[in-house]
Amino acid sequence: DGGITQSPKYLFRKEGQNVTLSCEQNLNHDAMYWYRQDPGQGLRLIYYSQIVNDFQKGDIAEGYSVSREKKESFPLTVTSAQKNPTAFYLCASSIRTGRKTQYFGPGTRLLVL
Amino acid sequence: AQKVTQAQTEISVVEKEDVTLDCVYETRDTTYYLFWYKQPPSGELVFLIRRNSFDEQNEISGRYSWNFQKSTSSFNFTITASQVVDSAVYFCALSELTGGGNKLTFGTGTQLKVEL
């Protein structure tokens, strides 16, 4: 079955540590996105990528980095520069840009030890 | 900047009641898309519907219906004969083309609780 997978489901980060969240899709979608969700708030865009080897910053990119080496994969690294990383992270993809529907993965919950 | 407002933070109903979730948006775009997503306790966002700004035909799908009013910038969502399984957070979202991208602006969500 086609879909979006995110791993791990829960991730714990120590102070000063970089951690990487995985996002893989087998929907043959061109565009992929990373969102952050805090309690009681909507989703905010961190980064997005329209094609391989290209990505753009979203509204809250500081303290995060991404790569897009393969069409199927769009990993997100939460760096030590992100001072408040505790949140629920959702990855999405769409068939291509131009207001097409975004489909979401199951999410990764990041907690700071 | 685009903005989506979901003024209802939480709604509680008894099973089989009808419930309407409100969504009001702001945009300077003349062409745009509106979405509703459902987020059950598991956390994954489930796509429900997409509506474009030039098609004001309202839609019904099973127990779900949507009312798009461009004149009032509203895109409301109604569940008829609610069920416990409808309990979730519902998000309204607006699409924006930014540098060729497809950015979604989300509202803060409405928590729907359906009780027996």
Side-chain angles (χ1 to χ4, degrees):
Chain A
D1 290 336
I4 302 172
T5 57
Q6 291 186 242
S7 61
K9 187 174 182 179
Y10 294 95
L11 186 58
F12 299 92
R13 194 190 90 163
K14 296 180 180 178
E15 291 290 338
Q17 185 181 42
N18 293 352
V19 292
T20 297
L21 285 62
S22 170
C23 178
E24 303 276 335
Q25 55 95 2
N26 60 4
L27 300 169
N28 199 32
H29 285 174
D30 297 300
M32 297 186 74
Y33 313 81
W34 274 106
Y35 291 89
R36 169 179 171 142
Q37 184 179 23
D38 293 285
Q41 297 189 31
L43 281 67
R44 292 181 291 167
L45 183 65
I46 305 173
Y47 269 98
Y48 65 99
S49 168
Q50 301 175 53
I51 56 173
V52 173
N53 293 321
D54 183 62
F55 48 83
Q56 289 79 40
K57 293 182 179 180
D59 297 323
I60 55 167
E62 185 175 352
Y64 300 97
S65 66
V66 294
S67 63
R68 186 85 186 277
E69 298 177 0
K70 298 187 300 182
K71 187 176 183 178
E72 302 79 20
S73 178
F74 191 40
L76 173 74
T77 296
V78 184
T79 74
S80 57
Q82 173 50 244
K83 298 307 179 186
N84 184 23
T86 297
F88 188 51
Y89 291 87
L90 287 154
C91 177
S93 69
S94 66
I95 191 163
R96 61 178 180 271
T97 55
R99 300 169 183 174
K100 297 302 181 184
T101 301
Q102 294 183 24
Y103 295 93
F104 286 80
T108 292
R109 196 165 298 279
L110 177 61
L111 300 168
V112 177
L113 295 177
Chain B
Q2 303 199 145
K3 184 178 179 181
V4 176
T5 301
Q6 294 180 256
Q8 303 154 309
T9 305
E10 184 173 322
I11 299 176
S12 291
V13 299
V14 176
E15 200 175 37
K16 298 184 182 178
E17 284 186 18
D18 298 347
V19 56
T20 296
L21 309 181
D22 298 333
C23 174
V24 175
Y25 62 92
E26 297 175 26
T27 180
R28 292 183 179 178
D29 289 357
T30 55
T31 304
Y32 49 88
Y33 281 79
L34 294 159
F35 301 80
W36 275 97
Y37 286 88
K38 174 182 179 180
Q39 187 177 41
S42 61
E44 181 174 351
L45 259 70
V46 177
F47 165 69
L48 295 177
I49 191 171
R50 181 185 79 184
R51 171 54 42 81
N52 60 54
S53 57
F54 45 88
D55 179 5
E56 293 197 57
Q57 181 178 359
N58 292 316
E59 182 169 337
I60 298 174
S61 175
R63 294 186 299 108
Y64 298 163
S65 62
W66 291 269
N67 187 338
F68 174 45
Q69 295 286 340
K70 198 169 184 177
S71 60
T72 56
S73 298
S74 66
F75 184 45
N76 297 336
F77 170 42
T78 297
I79 302 174
T80 302
S82 60
Q83 300 175 1
V84 173
V85 294
D86 296 327
S87 297
V89 181
Y90 291 84
F91 289 97
C92 181
L94 172 67
S95 75
E96 171 186 16
L97 276 183
T98 306
N102 182 24
K103 175 184 173 183
L104 282 178
T105 299
F106 284 84
T108 52
T110 297
Q111 170 81 58
L112 174 64
K113 295 184 178 180
V114 182
E115 301 170 334
L116 292 172

